[in-house]
Amino acid sequence: MPQWSLRWRLAPFLLAVLLVGCIRSQITEVEQQSFGTRTFAAGYEKTFAAALDALPALGYQPQFVSAAQGRITTTRRQAGATAGIGLAGTFAAPLFRQYDLRLVRVDAGHTRVVAHPHLYEGERDVSRQAVWQMSGRDGEYEHWRALFAQIEHGCMRQGVPLTQADLQSLGTRTFAAGYEKTFAAASKALPALGYELELANAAQGRITARRQTGAIAHSSLDNPYAIAVFRQYDLQLGRVDPGHTRVVARPRIFEDKRDVSQQAVWRMSGPEGEPEQWRALFAQIELGL
């Protein structure tokens, strides 16, 4: 057989080896318990919320969520491709990753998370086969580490959700001034407090401004790194009558480009708490009237 013909026949096999790399073993029960299970020093509800929030940060979207059952299953995320040989010749099948998380109350202050990974070759579940790369930058140990680090970050957040009642009672103020004057004062108040204006539309009664407040440690599959944290105000102004204008100041928090405002990230007491932030903003607007 000519040498080039042999190489041609072996090409699909060599391609498959290159694509799957070091994938070579099954995930054992010992590995699942040792590396794919973590107990967090946080209550069940907080850990469940942190796990639910961690998945999108790693590229997964929730598909099935049940706090009562202690289960979160994600949609499938593409993770490469594998090549093979069929009756019609060579082919490439996409690979997909999926997580099935099981959460269990250990006690009032501790929650266990078991993260079962699944691997699909096209529509075929091959998770029980010897297809797993366990070490290296893209190995399963590193995937588990990144997931649990992200959940840990969510559990360590100190705060409460911001409610509509908070916004109406503390984040809303009616000023004894006309609309145009109040709009101008609010537009100047935010830069005076360190915010950079992004939008000021008097016709819509909207003002948006943002400022960086710090950075937090973050984990990826490669290395830990820092991401910027931003505070943003979305102000909505409305005419009450010719001499009065209502201002609703909705605060938002972003971790890089990710809006985490709906999570338990708000402090409602102390010098940096949200009531004090609102007080300072409204006092600055009053100063400009």
Side-chain angles (χ1 to χ4, degrees):
M1 179 182 295
Q3 186 71 16
W4 65 268
S5 178
L6 178 60
R7 290 177 179 173
W8 179 257
R9 292 173 181 271
L10 289 175
F13 173 75
L14 295 174
L15 177 61
V17 171
L18 288 173
L19 287 171
V20 300
C22 298
I23 296 175
R24 59 187 179 274
S25 65
Q26 294 176 307
I27 295 179
T28 67
E29 188 62 31
V30 171
E31 287 171 325
Q32 181 66 62
Q33 292 178 358
S34 301
F35 300 97
T37 301
R38 180 74 55 84
T39 298
F40 295 90
Y44 179 82
E45 288 74 14
K46 190 167 189 177
T47 307
F48 193 93
L52 192 59
D53 182 52
L55 293 165
L58 297 174
Y60 298 90
Q61 295 301 322
Q63 183 180 56
F64 176 80
V65 179
S66 174
Q69 297 179 26
R71 185 176 175 186
I72 303 172
T73 302
T74 71
T75 56
R76 299 173 193 174
R77 174 173 73 81
Q78 189 161 358
T82 185
I85 304 174
L87 295 176
T90 61
F91 66 91
L95 292 175
F96 298 94
R97 286 182 55 89
Q98 182 182 49
Y99 267 124
D100 186 7
L101 270 56
R102 304 300 176 99
L103 288 83
V104 179
R105 290 180 175 88
V106 177
D107 55 41
H110 294 83
T111 305
R112 181 177 299 113
V113 178
V114 183
H116 293 281
H118 292 268
L119 192 66
Y120 289 82
E121 188 179 90
E123 292 298 318
R124 190 165 64 97
D125 189 344
V126 295
S127 306
R128 296 186 179 276
Q129 301 178 24
V131 294
W132 296 99
Q133 177 185 338
M134 300 307 297
S135 59
R137 291 178 57 185
D138 198 39
E140 214 50 38
Y141 300 141
E142 184 64 16
H143 280 277
W144 276 321
R145 186 201 64 78
L147 172 63
F148 292 145
Q150 193 68 34
I151 296 175
E152 185 75 37
H153 168 64
C155 289
M156 290 176 63
R157 283 196 182 111
Q158 298 296 319
V160 296
L162 192 67
T163 68
Q164 190 64 28
D166 293 328
L167 185 63
Q168 291 176 355
S169 60
L170 300 172
T172 302
R173 180 74 55 86
T174 298
F175 294 90
Y179 177 82
E180 289 74 14
K181 191 173 184 179
T182 306
F183 190 91
S187 297
K188 294 177 181 177
L190 288 164
L193 295 174
Y195 291 85
E196 182 177 346
L197 284 179
E198 295 188 339
L199 173 70
N201 188 314
Q204 297 179 9
R206 289 183 58 201
I207 302 173
T208 299
R210 176 182 290 205
R211 68 180 173 89
Q212 186 172 344
T213 58
I216 57 173
H218 190 76
S219 295
S220 71
L221 290 177
D222 297 322
N223 294 296
Y225 62 97
I227 60 175
V229 178
F230 299 90
R231 272 187 59 92
Q232 178 175 306
Y233 265 124
D234 291 343
L235 270 56
Q236 187 69 54
L237 285 79
R239 293 177 174 87
V240 178
D241 57 42
H244 293 83
T245 304
R246 181 177 297 111
V247 178
V248 181
R250 182 180 296 276
R252 299 171 71 184
I253 294 180
F254 289 81
E255 293 179 357
D256 193 15
K257 296 180 180 179
R258 193 163 63 101
D259 189 344
V260 297
S261 306
Q262 300 300 317
Q263 300 174 28
V265 295
W266 301 98
R267 283 184 286 177
M268 299 307 293
S269 62
E272 294 297 321
E274 219 48 39
E276 183 61 23
Q277 301 274 357
W278 276 317
R279 187 205 62 77
L281 172 61
F282 293 145
Q284 193 68 36
I285 295 175
E286 190 73 47
L287 190 63
L289 294 176

